Amino acid sequence: MPEGTGGTPPRTLAEALRTQSDDSLAALLRARPDLLTPVPSDLSQLATRAGTRASVVRALERLDRFTLQTAEALAVAPEPAPYETLRALLTGDEGDPRIEAALPCAVRTLRDRALIWGGDDRLRLVRTARELLAPSPTHPSPTGLGPTVAEATSGMSPGRLQEILAAARLPSTHDPVSAVASLTALFTDRTRMAALLDTAPMEALSVLDRLVWGPPYGEVTSSPTPPVQWLRDRGLLLPATTRTVVLPREAALHLRAGRAHRTPEPVAPDVAPRASEVAGGSAGGSLGGSLGSSASGSAGGSANAGNRAHIVDSTAAAQAYTTLATVEELAKDWNEGGPNVLRAGGLSVRDLKRTAAALDVSESVAAFWVELAYTAGLLATDGEPDERYAPTPAYDDWQELSSPERWARLATAWLTATRTAGLVGSQDSKGRTLAALGPDLDRGPAPEVRRRILELLATLPEGTAPDPESLLARLRWERPLRGASSAGRSDDLRSRLAAWTLNEAEMLGVTGRGAISSHGRALLARSSPDGRDTRAADTRAAGTRTTDTRAADAGLGGPRSGDGGVTGAGRGGPRPADGGLGGPRPGDGAVRTSAELTAAGLRAAAALAPLLPEPLDHVLLQADLTAVAPGPLLRPLAELLSIAADVESKGGATVYRFTPGSVRRALDAGQSASDLHDFLKAHSRTPVPQPLAYLIDDVARKHGHLRVGSASAYVRCDDEAVLDEIVADKRSQGLRLRRLAPTVLSAHADPTTLLDGLRTMGFAPAAESAEGDVMITRAHAHRTPPRAAPAPVPDGPPVPDTTLLGAAVRAIKAGDLAATVVRKPVQVPEPSAPLSAAAVAAAAAAAAGNGELPRTTSAETLATVQAAAMTGSAVWIGYVNADGAASQRVIAPVRVEGGYVTAYDHTADEIRTYPLHRITGVAELADDPA
């Protein structure tokens, strides 16, 4: 067992932490980073902070189900509890090899996270954790156990205790304490307890069966039934309130055969393949068997698996291309200034519906695309007084990248984002509807859940999709909801995040047909220090382990020095990287730097590149005024074609239709009829159909025949008959036209309204400037000022890096040295005058050396420091800095002059200079730490 000071067992968590190595303390701070903010001054402060309610709750929430069950069992065990007692509570009287193999790793995890301390013969749960996990009337234990006999009988009259002893045929005692001990001994004695229950009526046993697995409380009337009365007389049911009885813990454990949990889960559930794929694999295997060759069957299975992987990659690549097209279409829709920003932030329901209609998707899917572009920094608010959403300058840079690189940027942004598009449309705790791009969509666990889901998908064979229920079951096992872990809830945040992740990964192209793609695996991979890709190693490590492997990893070998020869808790032997819990521990070391994310994105882009089709430089023109693009087009071709024609259908091939309106749009953008003819001839693999050529020439001939300017607005035309036709048309009455000259009409409408009205009447007017020149109308690309992508909101403090951990551990241990170093007692001189009570207390504290800041006079401080500088010894000082913060330090003075002391500070591990007037006191050390 670990030893405390003076070779004795540790009496507190702080003493247990003092026995830990630097690596163990660094592992604790890495697993519980909230303990590091701010850096504790010493190990006592670290232990205090580790026992606070908020920190303990956070640590418990990050335990897997079996480790949490181990802590729950320890909470109902006597304190301190030997390892054998804990094992008996989990395995029961019959034993369970799987639990015995997994328990050492669970105990080690709890000890490494400072949730338990002490040797294997004296395991103690941190007090706050015991208060959270132990059963109480207001907070039932997940084990379903009730209070002990001693807790349930506190306050019971001695006479009533003697009546219970008599009914249970136990000898009477002289005091309540011995009476409770006698009753407890009866309930914990298997033989005597079985004999007592053999005499119980069958109805009484039925009552116990209903209470044994919890909840242990039941209501009774003022006149209980005979079976209930029989149980009350013998203490098997003890009063909790005037109308409530409870089954004592010791009696319940006997009825449970010693088990604290009804269903311990020592091994993580496997992620199973989807039922359809299992059936397909079985069919393929039986087919191979019917051919009479196991080798051919194996080859057929491998070919089938390879075919599935190819289909998955192709499907995911097609969806990745759709992702790029959708984001570009969204940015094009918002190119001239998107929808307005709500006063509370976000997108209105009406604008979201309009965006969904423009993208031809549902509102929930549109919310995902909008949030994805916003998370990647491609969309933002423009900051104008009439604030609107618009593409950012980063969007233009993004468009210059290759298609695989553009997808990789979107995928990495999605993987690390805390914004959760699935929440759009739901309500917050105050009943307010959450809007897309709103301020309340961040959920800290989202990145961890997304990454963990993809890691679990990567454990399956390539091309294999998981069964969603088994995937959710594995996720709940790794992060159970304390108090509801057995309820099978599916509406908790992590389960919803998992479901959203599966859908979003499919839409984004990370997965295809439910299975992770090759570029999705590359997105998860890390590079080893020598630059190698660690995808295969990560996938193998993430797989579930068998019981035998876990037992070997548990370290059931010889005892470690200082363990007192007790090997049950698995403190010796090899230690698996994942804690023996079947795969990388979720949340541990999952944080990656921006450089690692960039490298992963480049690997994913390289894996995706062969799967995406090359952009084409041609289309196929058809006689029905359509053009077919058999694949993605080069950007200049796609941009001009989107102006000159309307998209009619999308899919593997995009169909564009030429209309008079689309041709006029191209002419308005500055193209001439000859330009359009030349463009189509250059980029069409088929001859330009005659109907299309006639359409272009006809629209061009009419285009600009009418000229619209601003008077408020006017129309002029050299052909008076055309103006006569316009005036006579009833559809022009809303424009309120008036003839100013034979070739000029004026209107009360503005030029834009006049242009639209004439176009609806079948004319092709052109806008002109004040000088009479035709105005070319192009879409104005509105851009926001440079904006950074929204920063993720982490779930708690970030995991510190190795450098910070090393510095923090050194500072904590140095501060602990200053706080616990043995000092020479201070001689308190006889006062010439009576001292105040405060002065007497300060002198007594200094003489006792109880860890408080020393108090000495200025002359004593100067003399002690000068003597230490001459002898080269170390002293213990109290110091108050310029901010008024007091601290304790161990220094070795080197030079004392000018009111300053220059010394080597053991606490800071460096040479420092201190003003003498800020030293509150000094004391010599009994032993020089140097």
Side-chain angles (χ1 to χ4, degrees):
M1 70 182 68
E3 295 182 351
T5 57
T8 59
R11 296 166 297 178
T12 62
L13 176 60
E15 291 186 4
L17 291 177
R18 289 189 179 100
T19 65
Q20 300 294 321
S21 64
D22 290 357
D23 291 340
S24 298
L25 291 176
L28 168 62
L29 297 176
R30 182 181 294 108
R32 297 176 64 177
D34 57 295
L35 302 180
L36 199 56
T37 309
V39 177
S41 60
D42 53 38
L43 289 173
S44 296
Q45 190 178 37
L46 176 64
T48 302
R49 193 177 297 173
T52 58
R53 184 181 181 87
S55 181
V56 170
V57 168
R58 183 181 295 275
L60 291 175
E61 289 176 348
R62 301 188 68 81
L63 298 177
D64 62 68
R65 178 160 296 170
F66 182 67
T67 307
L68 183 59
Q69 287 180 334
T70 302
E72 292 166 353
L74 199 57
V76 298
E79 189 180 27
Y83 177 80
E84 290 73 16
T85 300
L86 176 62
R87 180 174 56 193
L89 285 172
L90 289 168
T91 61
D93 296 341
E94 298 177 356
D96 189 332
R98 298 184 310 155
I99 295 178
E100 294 179 2
L103 183 58
C105 292
V107 172
R108 181 171 56 235
T109 299
L110 293 173
R111 181 181 279 118
D112 289 347
R113 301 193 180 189
L115 292 173
I116 65 173
W117 56 278
D120 297 335
D121 58 341
R122 297 175 63 85
L123 292 174
R124 294 178 181 271
L125 195 63
V126 173
R127 180 181 303 175
T128 307
R130 177 174 288 274
E131 293 173 354
L132 291 170
L133 299 176
S136 66
T138 58
H139 178 73
S141 169
T143 61
L145 293 171
T148 62
V149 172
E151 293 169 348
T153 57
S154 61
M156 183 178 289
S157 65
R160 176 57 183 152
L161 284 173
Q162 297 302 321
E163 292 176 359
I164 293 176
L165 294 181
R169 298 181 180 180
L170 295 174
S172 60
T173 62
H174 298 287
D175 58 89
V177 175
S178 56
V180 170
S182 179
L183 192 60
T184 302
L186 170 64
F187 290 164
T188 54
D189 189 318
R190 293 285 192 265
T191 304
R192 290 195 296 159
M193 187 64 173
L196 176 63
L197 293 176
D198 287 341
T199 63
M202 292 301 298
E203 295 81 359
L205 296 178
S206 299
V207 173
L208 293 178
D209 288 340
R210 290 197 296 270
L211 299 177
V212 63
W213 291 109
Y217 295 90
E219 292 187 1
V220 294
T221 61
S222 56
S223 300
T225 59
V228 174
Q229 188 61 47
W230 190 92
L231 295 172
R232 293 185 65 180
D233 292 341
R234 287 153 182 80
L236 292 172
L237 291 180
L238 294 172
T241 64
T242 56
R243 298 180 59 85
T244 307
V245 292
V246 64
L247 177 65
R249 187 182 306 171
E250 293 84 353
L253 286 174
H254 174 83
L255 296 171
R256 298 180 177 195
R259 293 204 310 272
H261 293 86
R262 190 169 196 168
T263 309
E265 298 182 54
V267 179
D270 292 332
V271 179
R274 199 158 48 193
S276 59
E277 300 193 4
V278 174
S282 301
S286 61
L287 178 60
S290 65
L291 296 177
S293 172
S294 60
S296 62
S298 175
S302 300
N304 188 28
N307 186 44
R308 287 202 310 267
H310 177 71
I311 293 175
V312 166
D313 286 347
S314 300
T315 304
Q319 193 58 42
Y321 172 73
T322 303
T323 296
L324 300 179
T326 305
V327 172
E328 288 181 351
E329 188 174 354
L330 172 63
K332 187 181 298 182
D333 186 49
W334 291 9
N335 197 41
E336 298 183 50
N340 291 324
V341 181
L342 293 175
R343 181 177 301 177
L347 203 62
S348 68
V349 175
R350 179 181 58 188
D351 289 329
L352 180 61
K353 288 182 178 180
R354 192 195 64 78
T355 302
L359 299 179
D360 194 20
V361 295
S362 64
E363 293 175 31
S364 59
V365 175
F368 169 70
W369 295 124
V370 169
E371 284 289 340
L372 177 65
Y374 178 69
T375 299
L378 306 182
L379 296 177
T381 58
D382 58 9
E384 300 292 335
D386 183 20
E387 197 170 24
R388 308 173 73 89
Y389 290 104
T392 64
Y395 171 75
D396 298 322
D397 298 335
W398 176 77
Q399 280 192 308
E400 298 301 323
L401 301 174
S402 65
S403 295
E405 291 175 336
R406 285 186 289 151
W407 178 86
R409 178 169 172 180
L410 294 176
T412 53
W414 168 77
L415 189 62
T416 58
T418 56
R419 295 190 63 84
T420 309
L423 293 171
V424 173
S426 62
Q427 293 185 337
D428 61 8
S429 57
K430 297 181 179 179
R432 297 174 298 190
T433 301
L434 298 176
L437 302 181
D440 301 320
L441 295 182
D442 287 288
R443 296 296 182 270
E448 177 193 339
V449 173
R450 290 194 192 107
R451 183 170 186 83
R452 187 56 184 160
I453 286 292
L454 297 182
E455 287 175 346
L456 292 175
L457 293 180
T459 63
L460 296 173
E462 293 185 356
T464 303
D467 174 47
E469 289 302 321
S470 68
L471 193 65
L472 291 178
R474 174 62 175 267
L475 202 66
R476 295 191 195 106
W477 186 91
E478 292 178 346
R479 289 288 186 271
L481 294 178
R482 188 173 57 82
S485 58
S486 61
R489 289 179 52 186
S490 60
D491 60 342
D492 59 274
L493 177 60
R494 291 181 64 86
S495 297
R496 288 184 292 157
L497 287 173
W500 294 332
T501 297
L502 293 175
N503 293 333
E504 293 170 0
E506 193 75 16
M507 287 191 292
L508 191 57
V510 178
T511 61
R513 297 193 174 188
I516 191 168
S517 61
S518 58
H519 46 279
R521 294 176 185 269
L523 197 63
L524 299 175
R526 290 174 178 267
S527 292
S528 61
D530 56 359
R532 291 183 296 104
D533 191 349
T534 60
R535 267 178 290 174
D538 288 346
T539 301
R540 287 194 299 269
T544 55
R545 302 187 178 197
T546 62
T547 303
D548 294 340
T549 305
R550 185 166 179 170
D553 287 344
L556 299 178
R560 188 176 64 177
S561 176
D563 288 349
V566 181
T567 62
R571 299 187 58 169
R575 181 169 182 172
D578 61 354
L581 296 177
R585 185 178 297 279
D588 290 355
V591 177
R592 297 201 290 182
T593 63
S594 58
E596 290 176 329
L597 287 173
T598 302
L602 292 177
R603 289 192 296 270
L608 178 62
L611 303 174
L612 290 179
E614 290 292 333
L616 303 177
D617 62 349
H618 65 274
V619 294
L620 305 176
L621 296 177
Q622 303 186 100
D624 60 348
L625 299 180
T626 60
V628 178
L633 301 176
L634 292 173
R635 185 172 303 282
L637 174 59
E639 289 178 352
L640 185 53
L641 199 60
S642 65
I643 297 174
D646 297 324
V647 176
E648 190 170 78
S649 65
K650 297 179 180 180
T654 304
V655 178
Y656 296 86
R657 178 167 294 280
F658 292 92
T659 64
S662 66
V663 174
R664 179 195 53 75
R665 189 168 63 234
L667 296 176
D668 287 343
Q671 299 293 324
S672 65
S674 60
D675 293 336
L676 291 178
H677 284 301
D678 295 340
F679 170 77
L680 294 177
K681 288 178 182 178
H683 293 92
S684 176
R685 291 292 177 89
T686 59
V688 178
Q690 192 177 47
L692 179 57
Y694 284 169
L695 174 65
I696 295 173
D697 292 338
D698 186 51
V699 174
R701 183 171 55 255
K702 297 179 181 179
H703 185 264
H705 194 50
L706 291 177
R707 298 294 183 89
V708 175
S710 55
S712 358
Y714 64 86
V715 181
R716 69 179 180 89
C717 181
D718 296 337
D719 190 345
E720 297 180 16
V722 174
L723 296 184
D724 293 338
E725 182 183 352
I726 293 174
V727 173
D729 197 321
K730 294 182 179 180
R731 292 175 293 178
S732 67
Q733 292 179 358
L735 301 177
R736 300 177 65 184
L737 298 175
R738 180 182 176 186
R739 199 156 196 155
L740 301 180
T743 59
V744 180
L745 295 175
S746 67
H748 286 272
D750 60 90
T752 302
T753 303
L754 183 56
L755 282 168
D756 293 339
L758 293 176
R759 285 166 181 167
T760 58
M761 295 167 62
F763 297 97
E768 72 174 8
S769 65
E771 291 77 16
D773 300 324
V774 175
M775 296 177 61
I776 298 175
T777 57
R778 291 191 179 95
H780 175 64
H782 180 63
R783 293 291 181 265
T784 71
R787 303 286 194 197
V793 180
D795 183 25
V799 178
D801 57 24
T802 304
T803 303
L804 177 59
L805 284 175
V809 169
R810 288 194 300 271
I812 293 172
K813 299 199 80 170
D816 193 66
L817 170 65
T820 60
V821 67
V822 180
R823 301 174 297 278
K824 291 183 179 179
V826 179
Q827 300 295 329
V828 182
E830 291 293 336
S832 57
L835 297 177
S836 64
V840 173
N850 60 0
E852 296 182 359
L853 290 178
R855 295 287 181 179
T856 56
T857 64
S858 301
E860 292 172 339
T861 299
L862 179 60
T864 306
V865 170
Q866 288 176 336
M870 288 187 294
T871 59
S873 59
V875 293
W876 181 64
I877 67 170
Y879 181 74
V880 179
N881 63 13
D883 297 327
S887 61
Q888 306 174 46
R889 299 177 178 276
V890 176
I891 65 172
V894 178
R895 183 174 62 254
V896 181
E897 61 182 7
Y900 291 87
V901 53
T902 301
Y904 174 76
D905 191 332
H906 290 273
T907 307
D909 196 20
E910 62 182 7
I911 298 293
R912 287 188 175 183
T913 300
Y914 297 100
L916 285 173
H917 68 274
R918 292 193 179 276
I919 297 179
T920 62
V922 62
E924 297 179 359
L925 302 183
D927 296 312
D928 189 350

